[in-house]
Amino acid sequence: VGAHDKSRTKAFTEDDWSLLESPALKPYPKAKTLAEKAAWDFFKKEKPSFTFSVINPCVVVGPVASANVGSSTQLIASTLNPKLPFTVNSYFRLVDVRDVVQAHINAAKFKEASGKRFIITQSDGGEKSHAEIADTLRNEFGPMGYNVAHIRLPDVVVWLFSFCISKAADAYFFLGNRQKLDNSLSRDILKLEYTPIEKTLLDAGHSMIQYGAIPKKEGYRKAV
């Protein structure tokens, strides 16, 4: 949905599709876009007897179920337990994995969901800066001995690194990118009540520590 020119200020809705020619559309999300288009073409042409809905979550984070941290949750892990304590001027649209699960269940449950696409993102648009994510994690885990990322890396430094480090190049493209997502359809039809992003981030951090994906410090404790 959201791979467009980053100068766009209007919120994205289910009527929007990622631009296949956009430099923001890497091979993985491009493949997902093409696959969804093919699925809709099949559904409209063949008119199968089963219902069809599409769940389009943004960056899925939240508690993990093992020590294997996926690419999305790596954002939390690398901020809570970084090799280098830097944050960048990037913004992320986030959603709790438990809300994504509920979206799938409700899409199958409610007949009104058939034939529709749904943007799944936190109820405030899901937008959090890397610094805000770090602040939330630092307030919880800093007193326990975790050196949470805390030094804002200037944009010009990210730009310089972008010429030689692929991850820096990706980060540079999204610097200052504050695109909004409209999740009203998911709330109206799927009846989703989104988890507060602060709870999502803290539950993610605690679960990664408890499963051993992040070392457990001597001062670690989990609030009851």
Side-chain angles (χ1 to χ4, degrees), residues 4 16 33 41 44 46 51 76 80 86-88 116 126 146 149 159 165 190 203 205:
H4 284 251
D16 291 302
T33 302
D41 288 343
K44 292 172 182 176
E46 302 297 332
T51 61
I76 313 303
L80 173 54
F86 299 125
T87 65
V88 296
K116 292 183 174 62
Y146 289 89
W159 172 72
I165 302 174
L190 299 183
D203 286 354

Side-chain angles (χ1 to χ4, degrees), residues 2-7 12 18 22-26 29 59 88-93 127-130 152 155 158 162 166-179:
H4 284 251
D5 189 305
K6 67 179 182 179
S7 64
F12 289 95
S18 291
S22 170
L25 198 62
K26 303 301 181 185
V59 179
V88 296
N89 184 31
S90 294
Y91 290 81
F92 301 91
R93 270 59 63 185
E127 182 188 82
K128 289 290 180 184
S129 71
H130 191 202
R152 169 76 172 275
D155 292 356
V158 180
S162 70
S166 60
K167 287 187 177 180
D170 292 339
Y172 178 69
F173 182 85
F174 289 103
L175 287 180
N177 183 3
R178 304 198 65 171
Q179 293 172 336

Side-chain angles (χ1 to χ4, degrees), residues 7 12 19 27 40 43 49 90 99 104 106-107 119 192 208 220:
S7 64
F12 289 95
L19 300 178
W40 281 116
F43 186 71
S49 59
S90 294
D99 296 335
H104 282 83
N106 291 2
I119 291 174
L192 290 183
M208 284 187 278
Y220 173 75

Side-chain angles (χ1 to χ4, degrees), residues 106-164:
N106 291 2
K109 181 189 303 183
F110 300 133
K111 61 181 182 181
E112 297 85 359
S114 179
K116 292 183 174 62
R117 314 171 73 209
F118 296 95
I119 291 174
I120 309 298
T121 189
Q122 230 73 348
S123 55
D124 60 354
E127 182 188 82
K128 289 290 180 184
S129 71
H130 191 202
E132 289 173 324
I133 293 171
D135 288 344
T136 297
L137 295 172
R138 190 183 313 107
N139 289 339
E140 175 80 358
F141 298 101
M144 303 180 196
Y146 289 89
N147 184 32
V148 181
H150 58 279
I151 301 173
R152 169 76 172 275
L153 203 62
D155 292 356
V156 66
V157 176
V158 180
W159 172 72
L160 289 171
F161 285 158
S162 70
F163 291 100
C164 56

Side-chain angles (χ1 to χ4, degrees), residues 23-40:
L25 198 62
K26 303 301 181 185
Y28 174 62
K30 184 174 184 177
K32 292 177 69 175
T33 302
L34 292 171
E36 186 188 346
K37 285 180 175 290
W40 281 116

Side-chain angles (χ1 to χ4, degrees), residues 12 56-59 92-96 99-100 118-127 180-184 186-187 192-195 197:
F12 289 95
N56 282 317
C58 51
V59 179
F92 301 91
R93 270 59 63 185
L94 306 173
V95 67
D96 194 296
D99 296 335
V100 177
F118 296 95
I119 291 174
I120 309 298
T121 189
Q122 230 73 348
S123 55
D124 60 354
E127 182 188 82
K180 296 289 188 179
L181 301 174
D182 182 350
N183 70 0
S184 58
S186 70
R187 289 185 281 113
L192 290 183
E193 296 181 4
Y194 286 94
T195 305
I197 193 61

